[in-house]
Amino acid sequence: EAQVTQNPRYLITVTGKKLTVTCSQNMNHEYMSWYRQDPGLGLRQIYYSMNVEVTDKGDVPEGYKVSRKEKRNFPLILESPSPNQTSLYFCASSSGEGTSSYNEQFFGPGTRLTVL
Amino acid sequence: GQNIDQPTEMTATEGAIVQINCTYQTSGFNGLFWYQQHAGEAPTFLSYNVLDGLEEKGRFSSFLSRSKGYSYLLLKELQMKDSASYLCAVRAYGGATNKLIFGTGTLLAVQP
């Protein structure tokens, strides 16, 4: 089954304790992205990657890191989480066939993070 | 700047038709998407428009006017399971990136 998986689905942690949220897709997609979703603000892009070893900042990258060592995986790293990073996080992937086509983004199930 | 506007909430009756509007002002335009998101779940793709006009897909249709920076999602024969948030998203850039800019979503409540 074609899918994007994220782990963990739920996480409660404390300020300053490093954490990693994993994201994996089995569709051989080139493009992957991380979003956070907050009430009244919608989905905002944190980082994206157009292929292996190619990453770039989205709209709200502060406090986050990413890596893309393999095509299927795109982990999100919070080196020193703070309470303002409490949010619902989504990973998404899509084909890198260019932007003239359909090219929908497929979303993972989400990770609800609480930083105390 | 980049701006996408949608109504925050709408209510409709089971079996009826509802239209959810979206207006956008972006630095570029390379396609508009509609996603459905049930509470606590991932967004799922509904429709895509890149040219002006109406795209129909079963009970769902989406319309685009690029000159007006306007789109709408039309849901017919509403069912209770259509109660969800509907997200309008614009792909504002060309090249290899597939970056989407999302509106804040319209929460639709379908009542019996």
Side-chain angles (χ1 to χ4, degrees):
Chain A
E1 180 191 353
Q3 60 182 351
V4 179
T5 57
Q6 293 178 228
N7 282 291
R9 295 289 313 279
Y10 302 91
L11 180 60
I12 301 174
T13 189
V14 295
T15 299
K17 186 176 181 182
K18 181 180 178 180
L19 67 93
T20 299
V21 184
T22 64
C23 173
S24 183
Q25 50 93 5
N26 63 0
M27 295 170 278
N28 202 36
H29 284 164
E30 288 82 7
Y31 185 91
M32 298 185 74
S33 184
W34 275 103
Y35 296 89
R36 61 177 289 173
Q37 187 173 37
D38 303 289
L41 295 177
L43 279 159
R44 294 179 293 166
Q45 190 181 55
I46 303 170
Y47 268 94
Y48 66 94
S49 169
M50 290 192 283
N51 215 322
V52 175
E53 303 291 2
V54 181
T55 63
D56 207 349
K57 297 177 181 178
D59 298 315
V60 288
E62 294 77 22
Y64 304 94
K65 285 174 59 176
V66 292
S67 69
R68 187 93 181 272
K69 294 186 170 61
E70 306 164 284
K71 197 172 188 180
R72 63 184 291 126
N73 296 324
F74 190 44
L76 179 70
I77 303 154
L78 286 72
E79 294 270 3
S80 183
S82 62
N84 64 11
Q85 292 178 297
T86 292
S87 188
L88 179 59
Y89 291 86
F90 289 102
C91 180
S93 75
S94 66
S95 166
E97 290 174 356
T99 54
S100 61
S101 62
Y102 208 79
N103 211 3
E104 70 190 87
Q105 291 198 22
F106 294 85
F107 285 82
T111 296
R112 187 166 292 282
L113 173 66
T114 302
V115 183
L116 301 174
Chain B
Q2 319 280 24
N3 194 47
I4 298 178
D5 286 316
Q6 309 176 231
T8 304
E9 295 181 354
M10 297 183 72
T11 303
T13 304
E14 193 175 15
I17 299 173
V18 71
Q19 178 174 311
I20 302 174
N21 296 324
C22 171
T23 58
Y24 63 90
Q25 292 174 304
T26 56
S27 56
F29 180 84
N30 200 9
L32 186 144
F33 294 79
W34 284 95
Y35 281 84
Q36 180 190 60
Q37 186 179 24
H38 286 100
E41 298 183 8
T44 55
F45 171 79
L46 286 178
S47 69
Y48 169 73
N49 295 71
V50 67
L51 299 176
D52 291 350
L54 189 68
E55 293 283 341
E56 297 188 78
K57 203 174 177 182
R59 294 190 300 115
F60 294 74
S61 304
S62 57
F63 171 83
L64 175 67
S65 168
R66 289 172 296 171
S67 62
K68 294 182 180 176
Y70 168 70
S71 173
Y72 67 72
L73 180 69
L74 195 69
L75 291 75
K76 304 174 190 172
E77 302 168 16
L78 279 172
Q79 302 174 10
M80 298 299 291
K81 68 178 182 179
D82 296 329
S83 293
S85 193
Y86 292 85
L87 314 179
C88 172
V90 171
R91 187 163 61 200
Y93 306 97
T97 181
N98 195 19
K99 180 183 171 71
L100 293 181
I101 301 167
F102 282 86
T104 54
T106 299
L107 184 60
L108 173 67
V110 179
Q111 298 178 338

